[in-house]
């Protein structure tokens, strides 16, 4: 008969009580869901994303809320083993069944289960889940613990960012936010099934399979386990009659089809299934997991004395004040390896895709993560102030080849490690999380938290979070997931735990304060020097498309560069000496010059992001393997914002995504200029040597190039090489002036790229007005430029094959496009460029 159950998802009733009990409301509710979403559907709050409406719904977190529904348990429910199962409760919750307490919860991040057989009735049963205001749980808690943005959050085990962060408003909500059910197991059930690659040989893979059984019977049980290849064909089957509470199996897979990150190979997934049966043959429970055959490690090796790496470490320590505390300690690499192969990680930091993650669908995950793969990225870091993402996220990452660095959910603060109740909550949380996520091939390494230990030495016993890492998260990973690396915090390594010469770092070339504005005249050189061992956070900033901005601001508000709503949807970082939006606007104006139109000003704050991302990725790829990773802050957005992300809240790629797509190609050309000397790099991420031709030209704003040359190149497998160099004073240097650009086109079998360079600041590029011929088609648009067209932008809710690009005189380009899921496709793509005639 198997596991029986009744879904509890769907329609509920929701009641609310004001803090003084003097006001109540009742409305329809839906689960999985959140109170804010029910209030929005009922018209009790206005759209929290429009303008500053978010401030008008802050009262919600002060109220108590209760969900209620009835369900039919049948005329004779089997009460011998009945379990109320909630995959997610946000957050403090009191559960009653038929008026009798069934249990309580206080952690959004883990499922909760309550045995209720004694409380079940034949026919109708009434279930209530009450969510008292978090402020009741906070009574008596110390409110002086240092923490970014707000202190109360560190006591509550729920997503930290929606207590307010520098990229999302405060939205403290309540709700049954993941599926719920009444489960009625029959005699026994499977509580765990895991499969992990233990080792890879020359022609085989060793796999460890483990299963756990919970029983309410003394009769013998049988467990059948099956391992199947990616095509579904059985490779091995095991039958375990008389199975106990645990079963451990070791399997050898011959000629394994290995799982690789995006860009390095395919992502075949094997399947492991388990069926638990009783002595009479009836099926009691089944489970199935996917298995990617692969190993993962982090290569941490001290710099060799006299090596180029040691020289670079020494130079960084002379230049970066914070590095001087590392003294003569050797630099140390941080290089992710998969199946023994070094992987240059390129991607971003993932945050919750909605303030109320109950409404993020599998299709949304597929779209957002599909854009990661499409842009040539291969790695995301699930940041520690959000949630442990659900199965659709992980299934997509496994399928698409996206490596994941997973933080435990703590961020930017001193958590109450001396509070026994808090520590006990983490002791319950950590093993549940590790067991749930460890089967996924995409999961590459664990981090104990985000930035709690930053500004402490790696071995400092007073480091915030050290006790948690030493006693809870680290041991949980060592016991339950020993094949993956664990780091106590991110960043981790060296003195002050954000060393750029040891371990991973949170370090950026982006201007982050008033004094940094002075670096802008030499911003390309500044970017080229900002090279750490592994940038697990590196900021990028830019505003979204105009169509997105119009979803939360009016044109009149957008036209005012100092309107309060710009600041409201950009938020502020408390550690900066300038408001984030002001900084973003000043950087854009300094680089590109001011504009007297709304569209021009916004366009500059968009193009800024593409240029910055492109140059940063090129610089770090030129520096591999001293640098082995770049994860931008941040990849996606949690609400409609105007700041950090590369893909906006609605799933529309921003200019930074297009910069990433350009710079993350397997083989790219990159131009580096130092005091009049030009180097032409070829960066080859493939596993084979690539040979081809570089075509160089100096192109004025109109007419034919004034200088050309061609040169053959060969880039060894996985290498970054200087393919060609022109010294200062060469014919190239004499031909290039501020009325032209230097272009480098790479052509090789299966690979092409276009790189370009200009003298001076971007605003000194002043091509005369020109025209573009535009031909619209079904899913494509063809552009033909008469003269040099600056920053061609395609406006409309779509994913374009390219966007925010320059066009050369006489160039013709066809751009494919497709709609963004859930948004109305543009009836006609709007095309703009800065020097429109």
């Amino acid at each position: 008969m198997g596991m029986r159950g009744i879904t509890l998802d769907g329609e509920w009733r929701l009641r609310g009580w004001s803090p003084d009990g003097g006001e109540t409301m009742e409305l329809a509710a839906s689960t999985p869901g959140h109170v804010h979403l029910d209030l929005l559907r009922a018209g009790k709050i206005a759209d929290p994303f429009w303008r500053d409406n978010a401030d008008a719904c802050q009262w919600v977190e002060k109220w108590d809320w209760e969900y209620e529904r009835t369900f039919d348990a049948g005329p004779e429910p089997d009460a011998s083993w009945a379990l109320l199962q909630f995959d997610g409760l946000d957050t403090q919750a009191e559960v009653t069944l038929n008026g009798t307490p069934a249990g309580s919860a206080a952690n959004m991040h883990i499922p909760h289960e309550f045995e209720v057989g004694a409380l079940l009735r034949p026919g109708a049963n009434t279930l209530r889940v009450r969510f008292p205001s978090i402020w009741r749980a906070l009574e008596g808690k110390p409110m002086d613990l240092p923490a970014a943005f707000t202190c109360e959050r560190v006591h509550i085990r729920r997503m930290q960012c929606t207590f307010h962060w520098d990229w999302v408003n405060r939205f403290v909500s309540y709700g049954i936010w993941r599926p719920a059910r009444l489960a009625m197991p029959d005699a026994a059930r499977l509580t765990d099934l895991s499969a992990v690659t233990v080792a890879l040989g020359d022609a085989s893979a060793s796999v460890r399979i483990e299963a756990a059984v919970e029983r309410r019977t003394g009769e013998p049980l049988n467990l059948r386990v099956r391992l199947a290849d990616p095509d579904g064909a059985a490779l091995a089957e095991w039958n375990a009659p008389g199975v106990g509470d645990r079963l451990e199996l070791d399997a050898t897979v011959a000629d394994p089809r290995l799982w690789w990150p995006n860009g390095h190979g395919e992502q075949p997934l094997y399947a492991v299934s388990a069926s638990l049966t009783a002595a009479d043959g009836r099926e009691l429970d089944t489970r199935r997991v996917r298995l990617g055959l692969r190993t993962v490690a982090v290569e941490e090796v001290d710099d060799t004395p006299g090596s180029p790496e040691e020289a670079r470490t020494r130079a960084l320590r002379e230049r970066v004040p914070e590095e001087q505390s590392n003294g003569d300690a050797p630099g140390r690499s941080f290089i992710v390896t998969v199946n023994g192969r070094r992987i240059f990680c390129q991607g971003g930091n993932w945050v919750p895709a909605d303030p109320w993650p109950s409404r993020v669908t599998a299709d949304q995950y597929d779209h957002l993560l599909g854009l990661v793969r499409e842009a040539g990225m291969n790695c995301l870091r699930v940041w520690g102030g959000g949630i442990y993402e659900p199965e659709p996220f992980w299934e997509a990452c496994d399928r698409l080849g996206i490596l994941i660095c997973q933080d435990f959910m703590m961020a930017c603060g001193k958590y109450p490690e001396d509070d026994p109740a808090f520590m006990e909550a983490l002791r319950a949380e950590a093993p549940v999380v590790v067991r749930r996520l460890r089967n996924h091939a995409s999961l590459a390494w664990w981090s104990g938290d985000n930035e709690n230990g930053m500004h402490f030495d790696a071995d400092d016993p007073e480091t915030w979070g050290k006790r948690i890492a030493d006693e809870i998260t680290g041991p949980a990973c060592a016991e339950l997931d020993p094949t993956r690396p664990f780091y106590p915090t991110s960043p981790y390594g060296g003195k002050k735990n954000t060393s750029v010469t040891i371990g991973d770092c949170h370090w950026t070339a982006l201007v982050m304060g008033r004094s940094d504005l002075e670096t802008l005249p030499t911003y390309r050189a500044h970017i080229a020097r900002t090279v750490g061992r592994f940038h697990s956070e590196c900021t990028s900033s830019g505003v979204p498309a105009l169509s997105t901005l119009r979803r939360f601001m009016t044109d009149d508000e957008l036209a005012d560069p100092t309107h309060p709503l710009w600041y409201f949807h950009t938020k502020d970082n408390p550690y900066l000496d300038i408001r984030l939006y002001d900084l973003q606007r000043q950087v854009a104006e300094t680089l590109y010059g001011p504009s007297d139109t709304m569209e021009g000003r916004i366009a500059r704050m968009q193009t800024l992001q593409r240029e910055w991302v492109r140059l940063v990725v090129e610089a770090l790829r030129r520096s591999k393997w001293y640098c082995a990773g770049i994860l931008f802050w941040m990849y996606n957005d949690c609400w409609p914002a105007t700041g950090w992300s590369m893909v906006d809240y609605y799933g529309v790629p921003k200019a930074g995504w297009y910069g990433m797509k350009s710079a993350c190609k397997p083989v790219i050309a990159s131009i580096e200029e130092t005091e009049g000397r030009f180097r032409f790099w070829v960066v080859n991420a493939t596993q084979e040597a690539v040979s081809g031709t570089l075509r160089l030209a100096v192109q004025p704003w109109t007419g034919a190039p004034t200088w050309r040359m061609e040169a053959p190149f060969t880039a060894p497998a996985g290498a970054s090489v200087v393919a060609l160099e022109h010294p200062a004073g060469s014919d190239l240097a004499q031909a290039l002036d501020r009325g032209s650009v230097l272009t480098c086109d790479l052509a090789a079998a299966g690979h092409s790229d276009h790189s370009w360079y200009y003298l001076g600041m971007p605003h000194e590029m002043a091509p005369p007005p020109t025209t573009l011929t535009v031909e619209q088609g079904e899913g494509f648009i063809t552009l033909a430029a008469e003269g040099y067209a600056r920053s061609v932008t395609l406006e409309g809710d779509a994913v374009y094959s390219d966007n925010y690009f320059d066009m050369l005189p006489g160039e013709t380009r066809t751009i494919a496009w497709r709609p963004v899921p859930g948004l109305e496709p543009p009836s006609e793509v709007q095309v703009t460029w800065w020097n429109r005639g």
Side-chain angles (χ1 to χ4, degrees):
M1 185 174 179
M3 182 83 73
R4 297 162 296 159
I6 299 170
T7 181
L8 299 175
D9 298 338
E11 296 182 3
W12 292 61
R13 294 298 296 175
L14 178 64
R15 298 185 185 90
W17 291 266
S18 63
D20 60 4
E23 186 178 353
T24 62
M25 67 172 64
E26 184 172 345
L27 59 149
S30 180
T31 69
H34 277 91
V35 168
H36 281 82
L37 304 180
D38 298 320
L39 294 170
L40 182 60
R41 279 189 292 268
K44 301 293 186 180
I45 59 173
D47 178 3
F49 293 168
W50 175 246
R51 305 185 72 250
D52 57 358
N53 284 351
D55 279 353
C57 65
Q58 294 303 305
W59 58 272
V60 175
E61 71 175 70
K62 301 293 179 64
W63 282 45
D64 296 342
W65 300 95
E66 183 178 85
Y67 288 81
E68 178 184 311
R69 69 162 291 165
T70 60
F71 63 90
D72 191 337
E76 297 181 3
D78 183 358
S80 61
W81 195 2
L83 303 167
L84 272 177
Q85 295 177 333
F86 296 93
D87 291 346
L89 294 171
D90 183 11
T91 293
Q92 272 72 23
E94 300 161 358
V95 181
T96 61
L97 182 60
N98 298 319
T100 302
S104 61
N107 193 327
M108 176 185 186
H109 297 305
I110 59 175
H112 299 277
E113 182 176 270
F114 311 107
E115 192 150 351
V116 293
L119 306 181
L120 272 181
R121 297 174 180 171
N125 288 257
T126 300
L127 175 63
R128 294 189 179 94
V129 183
R130 188 180 183 95
F131 294 93
S133 166
I134 62 161
W135 291 98
R136 299 185 187 278
L138 289 166
E139 291 176 3
K141 299 291 185 182
M143 289 295 137
D144 57 353
L145 293 177
F149 305 105
T150 182
C151 170
E152 71 275 8
R153 65 179 175 81
V154 301
H155 299 284
I156 305 294
R157 293 308 298 147
R158 71 178 303 274
M159 58 190 296
Q160 301 285 275
C161 61
T162 50
F163 282 90
H164 169 66
W165 224 265
D166 61 337
W167 38 269
V168 63
N169 205 76
R170 186 178 178 105
F171 293 112
V172 176
S173 197
Y174 308 92
I176 304 169
W177 77 284
R178 281 181 170 166
R181 68 198 66 81
L182 175 69
M184 290 173 281
D186 179 1
R189 63 173 176 165
L190 289 164
T191 57
D192 191 29
L193 178 65
S194 70
V196 63
T197 310
V198 177
L200 294 178
D202 292 338
S204 65
S206 299
V207 175
R208 168 61 60 91
I209 300 171
E210 298 181 10
V213 176
E214 181 184 5
R215 65 178 68 218
R216 296 291 176 92
T217 178
E219 67 174 297
L221 302 174
N222 182 73
L223 184 63
R224 181 175 289 108
V225 179
R226 180 178 188 266
L227 171 63
D229 70 14
D231 300 318
L235 296 178
E237 292 191 13
W238 299 268
N239 197 38
V243 68
D245 295 338
R246 296 194 62 79
L247 179 68
E248 297 183 357
L249 299 167
D250 291 312
T252 299
V253 179
D255 300 319
R257 294 161 61 181
L258 299 185
W259 185 98
W260 291 98
N262 180 32
H264 290 266
E266 298 181 344
Q267 295 78 42
L269 294 170
Y270 291 69
V272 176
S273 57
S275 174
L276 184 67
T277 56
D280 60 7
R282 72 185 189 278
E283 187 175 78
L284 303 176
D285 200 4
T286 61
R287 285 206 178 198
R288 185 172 186 266
V289 297
R290 292 287 191 179
L291 167 66
L293 296 178
R294 62 101 187 94
T295 59
V296 64
V298 177
E299 181 183 306
E300 298 176 274
V301 178
D302 287 354
D303 295 340
T304 302
S307 66
E309 289 80 11
E310 184 195 45
R312 188 153 205 169
T313 291
R314 191 164 54 248
L316 280 167
R317 289 185 180 169
E318 291 174 356
R319 187 173 67 84
V320 181
E322 295 81 2
E323 276 298 306
Q324 294 169 11
S325 61
N326 283 308
D328 294 329
R332 186 179 307 125
S333 64
F334 190 103
I335 304 172
V336 176
T337 65
V338 176
N339 305 329
R341 180 190 300 173
R342 286 177 162 188
I343 304 295
F344 187 92
C345 293
Q346 49 202 29
N349 282 252
W350 176 276
V351 300
D354 199 283
W356 306 289
S358 58
R359 67 174 173 181
V360 182
T361 67
D363 286 345
Q364 285 175 278
Y365 282 118
D366 284 347
H367 169 67
L368 289 169
L369 295 167
L371 290 175
V372 174
R373 181 182 175 97
E374 184 177 343
M377 300 184 235
N378 59 22
C379 187
L380 294 173
R381 172 173 173 254
V382 177
W383 172 76
I387 61 172
Y388 302 105
E389 293 291 342
E391 281 303 294
F393 170 91
W394 289 96
E395 290 168 359
C397 291
D398 290 346
R399 186 176 67 251
L400 298 170
I402 303 168
L403 294 171
I404 299 296
C405 164
Q406 175 68 59
D407 285 2
F408 283 92
M409 291 298 124
M410 291 163 282
C412 302
K414 183 178 183 180
Y415 283 76
E417 295 171 280
D418 57 352
D419 181 342
F422 178 83
M423 296 294 279
E424 189 59 34
L426 287 184
R427 286 189 178 92
E429 175 183 320
V432 170
V433 170
V434 175
R435 285 191 177 97
R436 183 170 78 81
L437 302 186
R438 64 183 174 175
N439 285 315
H440 292 283
S442 53
L443 177 58
W445 74 99
W446 296 92
S447 177
D449 59 57
N450 171 75
E451 295 187 353
N452 293 355
M454 198 157 74
H455 309 306
F456 290 86
D457 296 348
D459 56 356
D460 188 338
E462 300 301 316
T463 300
W464 299 349
K466 180 174 173 56
R467 184 181 168 195
I468 293 171
D470 288 349
E471 297 180 10
I472 300 175
T473 52
C477 290
E479 177 187 356
L480 301 172
D481 195 21
T483 66
R484 288 185 177 90
F486 169 83
Y487 295 93
T489 186
S490 180
Y492 181 73
K495 300 296 184 181
K496 307 306 178 188
N497 263 340
T498 190
S499 170
V500 301
T501 62
I502 301 173
D504 74 315
C505 61
H506 293 187
W507 197 38
T508 184
L510 188 66
V511 173
M512 296 293 287
R514 295 183 190 277
S515 60
D516 291 344
L517 292 169
E518 300 173 1
T519 67
L520 288 178
T522 57
Y523 75 100
R524 286 176 293 195
H526 173 66
I527 289 172
R529 290 193 303 266
T530 308
V531 176
R533 306 313 288 254
F534 190 103
H535 296 249
S536 49
E537 279 193 25
C538 181
T539 53
S540 102
S541 182
V543 305
L546 191 55
S547 58
T548 289
L549 292 168
R550 284 172 168 150
R551 287 190 171 89
F552 55 90
M553 291 172 67
T554 68
D555 272 15
D556 286 344
E557 292 157 350
L558 292 170
D560 179 358
T562 61
H563 196 282
L565 284 178
W566 278 109
Y567 299 93
F568 189 79
H569 282 270
T570 308
K571 300 306 179 187
D572 285 310
N573 187 303
Y575 305 109
L576 300 185
D577 61 0
I578 185 173
R579 302 195 71 175
L580 186 57
Y581 167 68
D582 288 337
L583 185 63
Q584 183 175 253
R585 184 163 54 95
Q586 287 185 35
V587 172
E589 289 185 357
T590 302
L591 291 183
Y592 295 108
S595 173
D596 55 5
T597 69
M598 175 188 81
E599 292 81 3
R601 178 170 43 83
I602 290 172
R604 283 154 175 75
M605 289 191 288
Q606 293 168 336
T607 300
L608 162 70
Q609 191 183 32
R610 171 163 182 154
E611 173 77 347
W612 209 274
V613 166
R614 176 182 74 89
L615 292 175
V616 167
V617 176
E618 286 186 12
L620 297 186
R621 289 187 68 183
R622 291 196 304 260
S623 299
K624 74 172 194 180
W625 293 101
Y626 188 86
C627 176
I630 169 63
L631 305 181
F632 278 103
W633 183 264
M634 50 201 206
Y635 172 71
N636 63 316
D637 241 324
C638 190
W639 85 312
T642 63
W644 304 114
S645 70
M646 290 190 286
V647 178
D648 73 30
Y649 168 79
Y650 300 99
V652 180
K654 293 165 59 176
W657 182 84
Y658 292 99
M660 200 70 171
K661 185 179 180 183
S662 172
C664 288
K665 292 178 183 178
V667 180
I668 63 168
S670 179
I671 303 173
E672 181 185 28
E673 184 268 335
T674 305
E675 297 179 347
R677 184 178 78 254
F678 289 91
R679 288 180 171 178
F680 297 87
W681 290 75
V682 175
V683 181
N684 177 17
T686 75
Q687 295 306 299
E688 297 179 352
V690 172
S691 296
T693 302
L694 295 181
R695 295 183 175 90
L696 314 180
V698 173
Q699 174 64 59
W701 305 136
T702 59
T706 58
W707 178 89
R708 299 178 194 256
M709 80 165 291
E710 291 188 8
F713 74 86
T714 296
S720 300
V721 297
V722 177
L724 187 65
E725 186 166 355
H726 278 258
S730 67
D731 55 347
L732 163 58
Q734 294 175 28
L736 185 62
D737 59 24
R738 281 174 169 75
S740 58
V741 294
L742 170 62
T743 65
C744 176
D745 288 285
L746 178 151
H751 302 283
S752 64
D753 192 35
H754 173 77
S755 185
W756 54 283
Y757 183 89
Y758 51 85
L759 295 177
M761 293 283 278
H763 66 78
E764 295 179 87
M765 294 180 68
T770 193
T771 59
L772 284 183
T773 301
V774 179
E775 178 186 343
Q776 303 267 357
E778 187 67 31
F780 73 91
I781 182 169
T782 298
L783 308 171
E786 178 184 359
Y788 193 95
R790 186 77 168 100
S791 196
V792 179
T793 302
L794 309 182
E795 173 64 43
D797 293 325
V799 179
Y800 301 96
S801 56
D802 201 2
N803 205 353
Y804 308 96
F805 52 83
D806 287 12
M807 291 185 68
L808 301 175
E811 181 181 0
T812 298
R813 296 188 64 175
T814 296
I815 304 296
W817 65 270
R818 67 180 188 274
V820 173
L823 302 180
E824 188 71 25
S827 57
E828 183 176 270
V829 175
Q830 302 299 308
V831 183
T832 62
W833 58 102
W834 291 3
N835 57 325
R836 187 166 186 160

